[in-house]
Amino acid sequence: MAVMVCRLNICFPQIHFLILDLFNACLPFSYFPKQWRCAKVLILKKHNKSNYSSPSSFRPISILNALSKLFEKILLSRLSSLAEKHEWFSPAQHGFRKGKSSESAALSLTSRIEGNRKRKLATCCAFLDIQSAFDAAWRPAVIKGLIAKGCPLYLVKVIASFLSDRSAIISDKNSSILAHLQLGCPQGSALSPFLWNVLVDAVLNLQFEFDFAIIAYADDLVLISWNKSAAVATANLQLLCDEVVLWGHEVKLTLNTSKTAFIIFFAKAKDPQQSITINNTVIPQSKSCVYLGLAIDFKLNWRTHIENKCLAAKRLWFLVQRCARLSWGLSRDKLQLLYKAIIVPTILYGCVVWAKTTVKASIVKLLHSAQRPCAILTARVFKTTATATA
């Protein structure tokens, strides 16, 4: 694949008109070439899994034809322009959208929780994960979603061709298997995230008579219900969950109950414990969960999250220390570059929601403890040097 891309880059000035003619021929015929619909699949282990005996502990990544990806980006550009112009997607979708991110999703969630707290309302949240989302996406539902959005017919037909009759080659050192795929959007494709948003948008537009909100980031959904009574808010949340499960059945998607968490934020100790039920599985009330890489607890104090990120930063810097010591190794400029590129993003992830906790001396101390090894090595000073001095 890398060789083909390099050859294309070298030859492009001489063959660009041929590629343009090829792409222009595909559009009126609503055809996505069959050779481009065959992917070489690379199987990667998912991070931090305790058991790798299950197929769900691995993520298949599709390595696609270079011309296929180029054509996909042209189609994506047209679809994205239409989606922005005609507002295809709910503002509650934060995944794969310009100007939005996992942090904007987390900020939307915490702003809602804190606003309800000021109004003395109980906020109940169900953190849902759609099982094997991209791999299980039902293609007819994607096409139906595009038609419902008013997508031009020629683009609908090209996408239908893109999704149909797909195959994958899975190889190891000694053998290879050709598999024909009946479900899903290829992970690694430029179009797949957009098509997923088309599929999931219907659930973001559900209507109820009680107060609720839904926040989405790709296949991670948060259902929120609030009321003066935690019991009433939980009952409303159950209705919301039931409707999402029903939508999942209609589009052949399943919620992963093992990854589902139910939290009542700022719940009082004297309040009775609540629970919700999803797919006949009882989800008990929890005090914390991990959402989009953020460790969230029911009091929103963020200490556990900051501790986790500081520990991760220290582990990363320990690897950097192998390349430098007091009298040898990487220069100060290179160490500063590594610090800004690796350590700072690790520590500051999600800071839009936890920055206000830095008024606490204990949080400041945690952050200094993560930065101290970096400052000591970069400044090339002794370990006994005060942090403020380094």
Side-chain angles (χ1 to χ4, degrees), residues 12 28 70 113 135 138 167 197 224 228 232 247 256 315 327 350 358 364:
F12 190 78
L70 186 57
I113 295 169
D135 299 326
W138 191 37
S167 58
N197 281 355
I224 312 169
K228 289 184 178 180
V232 173
W247 164 82
N256 189 343
R315 288 172 176 168
S327 58
T358 55
V364 174

Side-chain angles (χ1 to χ4, degrees), residues 32-171:
F32 200 95
K34 187 173 181 179
Q35 292 82 354
W36 296 354
R37 285 177 263 158
C38 183
K40 181 180 179 181
V41 176
L42 181 65
I43 306 296
L44 300 179
K45 290 182 177 180
K46 292 183 179 179
H47 186 55
N48 286 339
K49 293 290 183 180
S50 58
N51 180 15
Y52 286 99
S53 61
S54 170
S56 62
S57 298
F58 297 84
R59 176 173 284 111
I61 301 297
S62 298
I63 302 175
L64 303 168
N65 183 286
L67 288 176
S68 165
K69 299 191 80 168
L70 186 57
F71 190 39
E72 282 184 51
K73 288 185 178 180
I74 293 171
L75 295 174
L76 178 62
S77 176
R78 296 190 181 194
L79 288 167
S80 297
S81 178
L82 288 167
E84 290 298 322
K85 181 179 179 180
H86 300 290
E87 299 181 348
W88 283 6
F89 300 131
S90 165
Q93 175 60 267
H94 294 260
F96 316 120
R97 299 193 64 194
K98 186 178 179 180
K100 296 198 174 187
S101 65
S102 58
E103 291 184 320
S104 68
L107 181 61
S108 179
L109 171 63
T110 55
S111 297
R112 174 71 66 183
I113 295 169
E114 291 169 347
N116 288 341
R117 187 191 183 194
K118 290 178 181 179
R119 295 162 57 198
K120 297 183 179 180
L121 300 175
T123 303
C124 298
C125 294
F127 296 84
L128 309 180
D129 177 78
I130 299 174
Q131 188 169 332
S132 304
F134 278 60
D135 299 326
W138 191 37
R139 294 165 185 174
V142 174
I143 300 302
K144 181 181 178 182
L146 285 171
I147 294 172
K149 300 293 184 187
C151 181
L153 187 58
Y154 82 95
L155 283 175
V156 174
K157 289 182 176 180
V158 173
I159 297 302
S161 178
F162 165 76
L163 292 174
S164 66
D165 197 21
R166 296 200 67 91
S167 58
I169 299 174
I170 305 173
S171 304

Side-chain angles (χ1 to χ4, degrees), residues 11 36 43 64 66 75 105 126 182 194 225 279 291 306 312 317 348 377 383 389:
C11 301
W36 296 354
I43 306 296
L64 303 168
L75 295 174
Q182 303 301 321
F194 183 91
S225 174
N279 290 332
Y291 173 61
I306 296 171
W317 193 253
L348 293 186
L377 183 60
K383 292 181 180 180
T389 306

